[in-house]
Amino acid sequence: MLTFDRLKIISPVSSVRVTDKGAFEMLVRNGGEPVALIYEQALPFKLRLRIDYKKEEVSTEFSGKVLGHDYPQLISRDNIRECFRNIERLGLCIFDMGMMLDSVVVSCDVSRDILCDDIKGLTSYMKSHVSNYGKYDVRLLKNGNLILANNVVTKDIAKRMTVYDKAKEMRLAKNRAFIQDYGIDGDFDGKCRFELNLKSQKMIRTALNIPCTELNAVLSSTANPIVDFLQESILASPCERHFTSMKAYMYSLVIKDCNEDMAQVEGKVRSILPKRGTSIKRTVQPIRELYDILKSCRDNNGGVYAKALEMLKS
């Protein structure tokens, strides 16, 4: 089941009945005619409501923290009604639930938390094993967050994923009150967050494999866009890597041809090189150094990534 940490939806103006107009900022034309009502808040959860009378539509954008003590579950088809009810509890408006469920999703963050005991190793592996550095941009920020995006000019086909330590993020000062107020201290310990931003209807349809972006269709999608993006952008095999020189690449082919057995590598080198005037040890040394790097990757960070991928698939 797909889960989300942010949704932005568009619904007809009749889907929302304002109960506290004074809480909204009113936009008016020169003649004083109301054009739109806007409400925004950052805490305890992000919420932006724009009731546009000119377009006859309502834009509702909210974060997963709208769920309060259920935030670790993230937004899903099972709790979407609870999200709207919690917004209603602010006393701002009342939703027509049927119309809201038929509303159109125009932007969303598909999110998933998994257990990971080496998030630093995971992000390090991902940064060094991008399948195509011309097609994908990757950055490892100072705070440990990994940003991975497809390198495109057209915004409506852009995808951007952030991978980070969710427990570390929830320990930030801005989140402490939320953690305490809703009694979820420790709920994110050991959790790694994968968050895929989809900022257009075209990208939502493609990533979720759905014909339209109605809220019901989005929440009911059986696609796994996070895994799909990882499989196209990250090399899954620990022995695959981005080589910075032709020589290193050629050494990797020698290792592969010899079944990743250094004894076979040395035997192969001895059978090819002249018996006199060439140091077998000196020739084999750079191949052994690359072998050690690849083996370390396979035994450590590569294993962390493989485990994470399997958890995301489940």
Side-chain angles (χ1 to χ4, degrees):
M1 180 173 63
L2 285 182
T3 50
F4 302 81
D5 198 21
R6 183 185 63 86
L7 288 174
K8 181 178 181 180
I9 60 180
I10 302 295
S11 60
V13 71
S14 57
S15 64
V16 176
R17 179 166 62 87
V18 175
T19 54
D20 183 4
K21 190 171 289 188
F24 290 77
E25 175 189 356
M26 181 180 291
L27 301 183
V28 297
R29 289 177 177 169
N30 292 336
E33 179 187 356
V35 175
L37 295 176
I38 299 175
Y39 175 85
E40 290 188 79
Q41 68 172 43
L43 299 172
F45 59 91
K46 291 183 180 179
L47 172 66
R48 188 177 194 276
L49 286 166
R50 180 186 174 96
I51 302 171
D52 194 315
Y53 297 113
K54 186 176 181 180
K55 293 182 179 180
E56 296 187 343
E57 67 179 28
V58 178
S59 171
T60 307
E61 183 174 8
F62 53 90
S63 66
K65 288 179 182 175
V66 67
L67 290 165
H69 64 273
D70 289 329
Y71 176 47
Q73 297 177 17
L74 293 171
I75 302 167
S76 71
R77 67 187 180 205
D78 291 343
N79 58 32
I80 187 63
R81 291 174 181 270
E82 181 184 346
C83 296
F84 291 123
R85 283 194 293 267
N86 286 349
I87 295 174
E88 288 180 336
R89 289 188 179 99
L90 296 175
L92 303 168
C93 62
I94 295 175
F95 295 105
D96 181 308
M97 202 64 69
M99 295 181 75
M100 295 307 294
L101 294 176
D102 289 334
S103 59
V104 176
V105 180
V106 295
S107 178
C108 64
D109 294 341
V110 182
S111 304
R112 179 81 183 275
D113 293 336
I114 64 168
L115 286 171
C116 181
D117 56 9
D118 187 8
I119 297 175
K120 183 177 180 180
L122 173 63
T123 54
S124 176
Y125 175 91
M126 292 176 65
K127 184 177 184 297
S128 62
H129 286 75
V130 173
S131 60
N132 186 327
Y133 285 86
K135 189 175 179 181
Y136 299 98
D137 292 326
V138 62
R139 290 182 295 147
L140 191 56
L141 306 183
K142 290 182 179 180
N143 62 3
N145 294 4
L146 180 92
I147 309 294
L148 179 67
N150 58 339
N151 189 6
V152 294
V153 176
T154 308
K155 291 184 178 181
D156 65 356
I157 59 171
K159 286 187 286 187
R160 180 178 182 271
M161 178 181 288
T162 307
V163 182
Y164 59 98
D165 186 331
K166 185 60 180 176
K168 180 180 178 182
E169 191 255 352
M170 293 303 291
R171 286 194 294 269
L172 296 177
K174 63 180 183 180
N175 291 319
R176 287 174 189 163
F178 182 84
I179 288 285
Q180 294 171 358
D181 291 346
Y182 291 102
I184 56 173
D185 186 29
D187 283 18
F188 292 99
D189 288 355
K191 296 288 184 69
C192 179
R193 165 69 57 90
F194 288 76
E195 192 166 279
L196 180 64
N197 310 130
L198 304 175
K199 295 189 176 182
S200 73
Q201 288 181 262
K202 181 177 181 178
M203 198 65 261
I204 294 171
R205 289 194 302 269
T206 302
L208 303 190
N209 192 27
I210 51 179
C212 67
T213 65
E214 288 184 358
L215 182 56
N216 271 316
V218 168
L219 296 175
S220 300
S221 170
T222 57
N224 196 332
I226 290 176
V227 168
D228 292 342
F229 188 52
L230 289 174
Q231 289 183 327
E232 71 184 45
S233 60
I234 303 296
L235 298 171
S237 170
C239 291
E240 293 182 275
R241 57 184 288 117
H242 174 68
F243 295 103
T244 56
S245 71
M246 192 64 189
K247 184 176 288 187
Y249 176 62
M250 296 300 291
Y251 288 159
S252 75
L253 296 180
V254 172
I255 294 170
K256 186 175 181 180
D257 184 56
C258 294
N259 303 308
E260 300 182 22
D261 185 330
M262 283 307 299
Q264 290 186 37
V265 170
E266 185 170 333
K268 178 77 72 173
V269 171
R270 288 183 181 278
S271 70
I272 295 174
L273 293 182
K275 294 183 178 179
R276 294 183 179 181
T278 303
S279 170
I280 301 296
K281 182 178 180 180
R282 189 180 304 117
T283 302
V284 171
Q285 183 59 31
I287 305 177
R288 183 178 297 281
E289 289 174 357
L290 179 61
Y291 169 83
D292 289 340
I293 292 172
L294 295 176
K295 185 176 185 302
S296 176
C297 178
R298 180 177 61 247
D299 294 344
N300 297 297
N301 295 348
V304 171
Y305 177 73
K307 183 178 179 181
L309 195 60
E310 285 305 309
M311 293 181 72
L312 289 166
K313 288 178 181 179
S314 64

